[in-house]
Amino acid sequence: MIRPIAILAGLVFVVALLVAVAMPRDAAQPNVFAEFHKEPKEVQFSFDGPFGSYDREQLQRGFKVYQEVCSTCHSMKLVAFRSLTGLGFTDPEVKAIARQWKVKVPSINDKTGDPTTRDPTPADFIPPNFPNEIAARANNNSALPPDMSLLAKAREGGPHYIYSIVTGYQKPPANLPKDNLPPTGLYYNPYFANLNFSMPPPLVAEGQVTYDDGTKATVDQMAQDVSAFLMWAAEPKLENRHRTGIAVMIFLIIASVLAFMSYRNVWLGEKH
């Protein structure tokens, strides 16, 4: 009895498989995002490669772009003012930057105990422009601007991705499906994963920022500078890692040579 049931079950399975194979299939839907999305642009940064190092002048220019443009929406809650000495600023310059920062730090009045604000000090972290997420969304078309402290490490492509996003705004191509056209309040940017970006173009004109060192502030230059600064913010010890890695490689090479010479000396004259 069991054998006929097993044979019947097998026949049913075979018939179902043949029907599934013979049935017409819908044409594969094109992946719009894969078709129009672009990989980050190739940009040469001074810190690329195992021997790379930061350009302090570029980092200071990038910080100024963040200070005057990006900080309007984006916070850097993990970066303290005192860390800016790593950009090449002196201690007095850092104190001045903190004291003149446009957003004040919440505090308590020593005499009345009432909440108040005070000027930031080098020991403070860079204060965000918005007090909370609700306020940030309310001022940015319901979108939450990401904190930029670790942005260069959190996004694939790092500073190359940031540079591409900042310089990648353009008109939608004519063959972009209507369903993927940016609605009101969004902007077409093929370097963003879903093509439509909620952040308006932050760098729109040459000279938007005035550099202290006299460098011409083109949109491309400002984009490179702020990308480099955000890389430093996410990886301030990058140069130390590079130096440590080089020292370790030299040590391993020397140790390998000494080990090989010891091996030859120990087994010299011995038959193998």
Side-chain angles (χ1 to χ4, degrees), residues 14 19 29 34 45 61 67 86 97 105 120 126 142-143 155 177 193 214-215 218 221 225 229 252:
V14 171
V19 171
Q29 297 296 322
F45 289 105
R61 294 195 303 267
Q67 181 182 15
I97 290 171
V105 175
I126 297 177
S142 298
R155 299 293 188 269
T215 300
T218 63
Q221 183 67 57
D225 293 342
F229 165 69
L252 290 176

Side-chain angles (χ1 to χ4, degrees), residues 19 41 44 48 60 110 174-175 181 193 224 226 238 242 246 266 271:
V19 171
K41 301 176 183 178
Q44 295 297 323
D48 287 337
Q60 292 183 26
D110 293 337
N175 59 337
L181 289 173
Q224 289 192 42
V226 74
L238 178 139
H242 285 179
I246 293 171
V266 169
K271 293 183 178 180

Side-chain angles (χ1 to χ4, degrees), residues 181-246:
L181 289 173
T184 303
L186 297 183
Y187 306 84
Y188 181 77
N189 194 320
Y191 298 96
F192 189 60
N194 66 2
L195 305 180
N196 295 324
F197 208 36
S198 60
M199 181 179 73
L203 302 176
V204 295
E206 181 178 311
Q208 189 172 344
V209 172
T210 301
Y211 286 141
D212 298 330
D213 62 0
T215 300
K216 189 175 182 179
T218 63
V219 171
D220 184 79
Q221 183 67 57
M222 290 185 290
Q224 289 192 42
D225 293 342
V226 74
S227 299
F229 165 69
L230 293 178
M231 182 62 189
W232 170 86
E235 192 80 70
K237 303 298 183 183
L238 178 139
E239 293 167 318
N240 292 340
R241 290 198 303 103
H242 285 179
R243 285 192 289 265
T244 301
I246 293 171

Side-chain angles (χ1 to χ4, degrees), residues 3 27 116 200:
R3 187 173 182 182
T116 184

